[in-house]
Amino acid sequence: MVAVPMAAYAEDAPRPRITVTGEGEAAAAPDTAILSLVVMQEKPTAREALTANNEAMAKVLDAMKKAGIAERDLQTSGFSIDPRYVFPENNNNQPPKPPSIVGYAVSNSLTVRVRDLAKVGDILDQSVTLGVNQGGNIIFTNDKPDTILEEARKNAVANAVARAKTLTAAAGVELGRVIEINEQSFSPRPVPMAARGKMMAMDAASPVPVAAGENTYNVNVNMTFELKN
């Protein structure tokens, strides 16, 4: 038989703990806009529709490059060729008639990343003039949000520590060292602006008015502290 001091058991026993959740946020003006532009052309044949679409999209791409948009910021995001049908009226006394194809629609989607927000209105306006007739969604983002997230993290930790101190003070105990920290980051949800089924033609002398607003980044941290005896 070996005698083990009771103090050893006391040291091995887990100390009382408290776990709290801290919330932090930081906001910043966006520095990048992502545009979704679509050229759609309808013609009697698929070949005619494709040719017309290619010509219009080539003009749009050329205008984007002349406006200072880099190749890496231009990306084809969708392409489709769809027949257009006419459905005849069917007489109940006769066999049903099949629908007939009366033309084809070709759509080409382009995603444009604009890093100079001052150009967004002019680019939207010019793209409509050159053939963009669908889309128009705008998403404002931050190209490098690390600094903003760092501020949100600091605010979340400060919030967690403050909550822990309030709870322990109310319970009449003393807060000890930090045992564990877990983080959950939430980037701002992209908010589409000027989202419409079709972009309507507008006065070429008046750029599209655009308001960028702010993006808010949220961070939650779970912090576990020891409680002093």
Side-chain angles (χ1 to χ4, degrees), residues 75-80 107-110:
Q75 185 178 51
T76 298
S77 54
F79 183 85
S80 65
S107 293
N108 194 342
S109 304
L110 179 68

Side-chain angles (χ1 to χ4, degrees), residues 13-14 18 20 32 41 68 77 87 103 115-116 119 143 160 166 170 182 217:
I18 181 175
V20 295
T32 303
Q41 293 288 331
S77 54
F87 293 87
R115 301 180 188 274
D116 183 356
K119 296 181 178 180
D143 188 41
T166 299
N182 295 315
Y217 294 77

